[in-house]
Amino acid sequence: MTLLVVSPAYASHLLPLLQIARRWLGTRGEVVVATGPATRHLVEAAVVAWTDLRLGRGRNAGVIEVADQPAGEDAHLQAFFDATRAGPIATLTYQADARRHDLLYDPDGVLDRLGEIVRDVRPERVVVDHVAFGARLALHALGVPAVSVVLVHPSALPAPGEVYGLPSAWPAAITPDPTELETLRRRCRESVDELAAAAAEVLARRAPGRPPIGDLTSRPSPDGLPTVYASPLALHDPARALPPRSVFVGSLARAESIGETVLPAGDGPLVLVALGSFLGARGDVLATAVRAASQAGWRLAIATGSTPGERLGALPPGALVARHLPQVALLGHADVFVNHGGNGSVTEAAAAGAPQVVLPVSTDQFALAAAVEAVGVGAALAPNGLTVEQLVASVTSALAPSVRRRAGELAEEVASSGGAAAAVAAIAAG
């Protein structure tokens, strides 16, 4: 049985999907992964077949750099980073304004190329990233049912009454102004409507015989197929409605060896700091973490991302500092994980039983930070204006026995959810 996996060329989305691909290859049959050339090396490192499919202008093979982006996309990415420094409302408004640009790139080209891929591969099953809206539109136009995998917080597939791009929950440390929040809600609704109108135009022109697709953002897997959530059920608000046949698989974290990485020396708690492949550009936040580590006597492991090391300031003795760290492996040793609230980071920490301090910046990160607080496995802080004192206090709280115990319980739940094996079983069952 051949599986086609469709992913944008972003490592944070592709790597969890590759766990499904590898499991399928080992147990069910052949696999082809369709993604951009920037992430081809990740597919081939997983010993899986690759085929070229470009779903966006930008790319991120692990650590995103403005200078690495195509002309025009560099300014777009820099504008996003500038918006993050203005706060959550500015960031989410910028993302709403950019949604048509980002999420329905070259729909005709994507449709043509996916048609070629489907004809060549002849897959019995297809898996697609939920936010790869252009690919999902193309598959619908081609009449090819596909299982959607939600690789971010479950609210990225909105429930009734929610709107894509507006957080379904906020952590206690971030309370937007109600007037600004209502303006953001309207802009998010407009951007969703713009996306739906663009999709309808493509469908009417290229596949007029196919039924309407409606709102891509809130559409689950079609035709009774399962919708797979790559997160623990505990991080989902039980009051939120879910589509039929929803499957929570806990985590799609990859196995990783610590290799030759040397753990930080010293006697204090080991604190791992990483802001993901995008937000490593926030050198101001990383520098605050370095000062906090020096003041509190942490053993510090910090991923600098695209921030030059000299912008971090004086490092504490024995600190482990690198542009990219083996995060999954280090989480097995970390006492606390300070992160940006990306779904990959939050679920990897959950699988490892590591307490967290979350510094959310954009998209679903606010809902994930609120979920971490609600479940009792850590705390959240506002990254803009973050102080050393705030970060030290939150890490100290995360080291409390009650938090560590709850993090261990969450890790047991993640382990019992089945991960890639559960995802493969659901996809194969159709």
Side-chain angles (χ1 to χ4, degrees):
M1 187 182 295
T2 301
L3 174 70
L4 174 64
V5 177
V6 180
S7 174
Y10 287 94
S12 58
H13 288 242
L14 176 60
L15 287 171
L17 289 174
L18 284 176
Q19 304 316 301
I20 295 175
R22 285 172 58 86
R23 180 76 184 189
W24 188 280
L25 188 64
T27 60
R28 299 282 177 170
E30 298 300 313
V31 179
V32 176
V33 176
T35 188
T39 47
R40 177 177 181 171
H41 68 288
L42 297 175
V43 177
E44 293 178 342
V47 199
V48 178
W50 170 84
T51 192
D52 189 6
L53 177 64
R54 304 179 191 221
L55 296 176
R57 294 175 179 86
R59 52 181 177 257
N60 178 7
V63 175
I64 198 163
E65 294 274 9
V66 171
D68 291 342
Q69 302 305 305
E73 196 66 18
D74 51 355
H76 175 52
L77 183 60
Q78 185 58 58
F80 166 73
F81 289 141
D82 293 343
T84 70
R85 291 178 167 84
I89 296 295
T91 303
L92 293 166
T93 300
Y94 180 82
Q95 290 179 305
D97 291 342
R99 192 143 293 135
R100 173 69 176 84
H101 164 91
D102 285 343
L103 299 181
L104 205 61
Y105 164 80
D106 187 18
D108 288 286
V110 171
L111 175 54
D112 291 339
R113 177 60 185 142
L114 254 177
E116 294 172 356
I117 292 170
V118 168
R119 287 191 293 272
D120 290 343
V121 174
R122 298 184 180 277
E124 283 94 352
R125 296 287 186 274
V126 179
V127 166
V128 61
D129 182 349
H130 170 70
V131 299
F133 295 139
R136 291 176 53 228
L137 173 62
L139 290 165
H140 176 76
L142 293 165
V144 177
V147 171
S148 292
V149 182
V150 181
L151 296 165
V152 285
H153 185 269
S155 61
L157 200 171
E162 298 175 352
V163 58
Y164 184 80
L166 185 75
S168 62
W170 296 87
I174 300 175
T175 308
D177 175 80
T179 301
E180 292 182 340
L181 197 58
E182 182 55 35
T183 300
L184 173 61
R185 177 184 292 276
R186 288 197 299 270
R187 183 63 194 104
C188 287
R189 171 48 59 193
E190 289 169 358
S191 75
V192 168
D193 291 344
E194 290 164 5
L195 194 67
E201 185 277 330
V202 173
L203 202 60
R205 181 166 46 80
R206 296 296 306 274
R210 295 289 296 152
I213 194 167
D215 176 10
L216 279 162
T217 68
S218 61
R219 180 184 175 92
S221 301
D223 303 319
L225 294 176
T227 298
V228 175
Y229 290 88
S231 59
L233 182 59
L235 296 182
H236 170 257
D237 179 357
R240 289 187 70 252
L242 290 168
R245 299 199 62 195
S246 296
V247 178
F248 282 77
V249 300
S251 174
L252 292 173
R254 63 199 182 280
E256 190 173 57
S257 168
I258 200 165
E260 297 180 356
T261 301
V262 179
L263 294 175
D267 299 323
L270 174 54
V271 178
L272 172 62
V273 179
L275 300 182
S277 55
F278 269 86
L279 294 166
R282 289 296 304 268
D284 55 330
V285 178
L286 294 174
T288 299
V290 167
R291 295 196 301 274
S294 296
Q295 177 175 303
W298 303 338
R299 292 183 295 142
L300 177 66
I302 185 167
T304 62
S306 59
T307 295
E310 59 268 20
R311 289 180 54 191
L312 299 179
L315 296 166
L320 170 60
V321 182
R323 178 178 165 88
H324 177 77
L325 290 171
Q327 180 169 296
V328 175
L330 284 171
L331 281 169
H333 302 271
D335 294 297
V336 177
F337 183 26
V338 178
N339 66 80
H340 63 302
N343 192 63
S345 292
V346 169
T347 58
E348 287 167 7
Q356 305 179 53
V357 175
V358 183
L359 310 173
V361 174
S362 69
T363 55
D364 62 316
Q365 296 165 15
F366 302 105
L368 277 159
V372 165
E373 287 185 326
V375 172
V377 295
L381 296 170
N384 291 350
L386 179 69
T387 68
V388 167
E389 291 73 22
Q390 288 173 332
L391 189 53
V392 169
S394 289
V395 168
T396 300
S397 296
L399 290 166
S402 59
V403 179
R404 296 171 68 88
R405 181 172 59 253
R406 184 69 189 97
E409 292 168 352
L410 181 57
E412 292 176 1
E413 178 186 316
V414 171
S416 67
S417 298
V424 163
I427 294 161

